[in-house]
Amino acid sequence: MLVEAHWEVVGGSLKVLMTGIYPSDQLWRAWFSVGTLCAMFGAGLGLSVRPGRAAVAAAASAAAVIAALISAVIDLTSGMLTAASTALGVAAWVGIHHSGLDQRVVLSGLLAGVLAIFVVLSPPGFEVWGGLLLSVVLTIAVSILTLPFGILLALGRQSRIASLRVISTAYIETMRSVPLILVVYWIWIIVPLLAPDTSVPSLLRGMAGYALFFAAYVAEYVRSGLQAVPKGQIEAARSLAMSTWTLNVDIVLPQALRVVVPPLVGQILDIFNGATLVFIIGLTDFLRAGQMILADPQNSGRTYEIYVFLFAVYLAIGGAITYASRRLEAHLARGTR
């Protein structure tokens, strides 16, 4: 592996692996997105650990490794490398020293970061998004979209209104009974039929399919958390004439979501691994980018190198998500959230 393998094929193809067919003259947009993702990851890391210089140093080191890899991909200046490293390190430092931030502030920052990424990356067109960047952005966007939809489905399934309960149950069971690839492909086909005069990019249709599918699983996770909330608290709140909205928002959901954090974070990993299915609607995800490289006759004999690299990246990201899940679970167990 270290001596006989020809790893130069990976170094020479990193631009395709990381950004797909994104225009080379617009790669500063990808770098902005990388910096934003580093800042979001660093802030999350900082919020999940106790204050300490070691954590900041570890975050900065991780940023340097990530940025160095991407810097080799697109052959940009060391200034961009430093900027990405600094973004993660500073965000981690801020998160560590402001671990008492309100959850709404943290969520608002996350949404603002994702929105900024979409605004900056979109001018060249959604159809040129690709590589690892597409897989990561798709995962984050779908994870955010599925949470509120899943919560509404879970509440609908336990609603006292019979029609709402039947509709929510039917939707959840239907989505859980069909494969993801069928839902994504169906949404991709049906949207142009419903709106023939409107051109909806394949990426947005794919995100809609993923969100509709995984929202059903989020609903079941949240429903299990709702059942864990003591009924005495609910009855006490109703005896005080508390409205259904206030009861759910202030009492039930905070406790329910705390219980289901591990499966919710685990589903992020499922979404990331399932992002490979976007190839059926013409998008170039990380795995498809590797297959495109191997389709070149010059690289046809480099199957080992490409797939080992893909495996290593998937393993690293999956391990990071798993670690974040454990840290968040431990953080919530201390009662700081």
Side-chain angles (χ1 to χ4, degrees), residues 2-24:
L2 299 178
V3 179
E4 297 183 3
H6 298 275
W7 294 107
E8 63 274 8
V9 65
V10 175
S13 306
L14 278 176
K15 190 273 175 187
V16 177
L17 288 169
M18 296 300 170
T19 60
I21 59 175
Y22 204 82
S24 299

Side-chain angles (χ1 to χ4, degrees), residues 204-283:
L204 299 184
R205 283 182 275 168
M207 286 184 176
Y210 274 77
L212 292 174
F213 179 83
F214 283 104
Y217 290 86
V218 171
E220 286 300 281
Y221 296 145
V222 174
R223 188 171 69 92
S224 66
L226 294 175
Q227 294 176 344
V229 178
K231 294 184 178 179
Q233 296 185 16
I234 299 176
E235 295 173 355
R238 288 175 176 167
S239 67
L240 296 175
M242 186 175 293
S243 66
T244 303
W245 172 263
T246 303
L247 170 64
N248 288 324
V249 172
D250 294 339
I251 297 178
V252 177
L253 283 178
Q255 299 182 69
L257 293 179
R258 184 193 298 267
V259 174
V260 299
V261 162
L264 288 178
V265 177
Q267 180 166 274
I268 297 177
L269 183 57
D270 294 336
I271 296 173
F272 177 72
N273 291 333
T276 56
L277 297 179
V278 295
F279 79 92
I280 67 169
I281 57 176
L283 298 178

Side-chain angles (χ1 to χ4, degrees), residues 136-289:
V136 173
V137 172
L138 175 69
T139 300
I140 295 175
V142 172
S143 299
I144 293 175
L145 291 173
T146 54
L147 184 58
F149 189 24
I151 290 175
L152 292 177
L153 286 172
L155 294 176
R157 187 163 187 173
Q158 291 194 333
S159 174
R160 296 180 176 181
I161 304 175
S163 59
L164 182 59
R165 185 170 61 253
V166 171
I167 293 173
S168 299
T169 302
Y171 178 88
I172 293 172
E173 296 303 326
T174 299
M175 287 298 171
R176 296 182 65 199
S177 301
V178 297
L180 172 60
I181 190 171
L182 178 61
V183 176
V184 173
Y185 195 59
W186 182 78
I187 295 296
W188 184 71
I189 293 177
I190 201 67
V191 169
L193 297 178
L194 296 177
D197 298 329
T198 304
S199 178
V200 181
S202 296
L203 176 60
L204 299 184
R205 283 182 275 168
M207 286 184 176
Y210 274 77
L212 292 174
F213 179 83
F214 283 104
Y217 290 86
V218 171
E220 286 300 281
Y221 296 145
V222 174
R223 188 171 69 92
S224 66
L226 294 175
Q227 294 176 344
V229 178
K231 294 184 178 179
Q233 296 185 16
I234 299 176
E235 295 173 355
R238 288 175 176 167
S239 67
L240 296 175
M242 186 175 293
S243 66
T244 303
W245 172 263
T246 303
L247 170 64
N248 288 324
V249 172
D250 294 339
I251 297 178
V252 177
L253 283 178
Q255 299 182 69
L257 293 179
R258 184 193 298 267
V259 174
V260 299
V261 162
L264 288 178
V265 177
Q267 180 166 274
I268 297 177
L269 183 57
D270 294 336
I271 296 173
F272 177 72
N273 291 333
T276 56
L277 297 179
V278 295
F279 79 92
I280 67 169
I281 57 176
L283 298 178
T284 307
D285 69 295
F286 187 44
L287 180 60
R288 182 62 176 171

Side-chain angles (χ1 to χ4, degrees), residues 301-312:
R302 298 291 175 259
T303 304
Y304 170 82
E305 290 84 352
I306 293 296
Y307 279 111
V308 167
F309 177 76
L310 295 176
F311 174 83

Side-chain angles (χ1 to χ4, degrees), residues 7 17 26 33 53 61 73 77 112 116-117 122 138 153 261 264 266 274 282 322 324-325:
W7 294 107
L17 288 169
Q26 298 290 320
S33 302
R53 297 179 180 178
S61 300
V73 171
T77 63
I117 290 174
S122 59
L138 175 69
L153 286 172
V261 162
L264 288 178
T322 302
S325 174

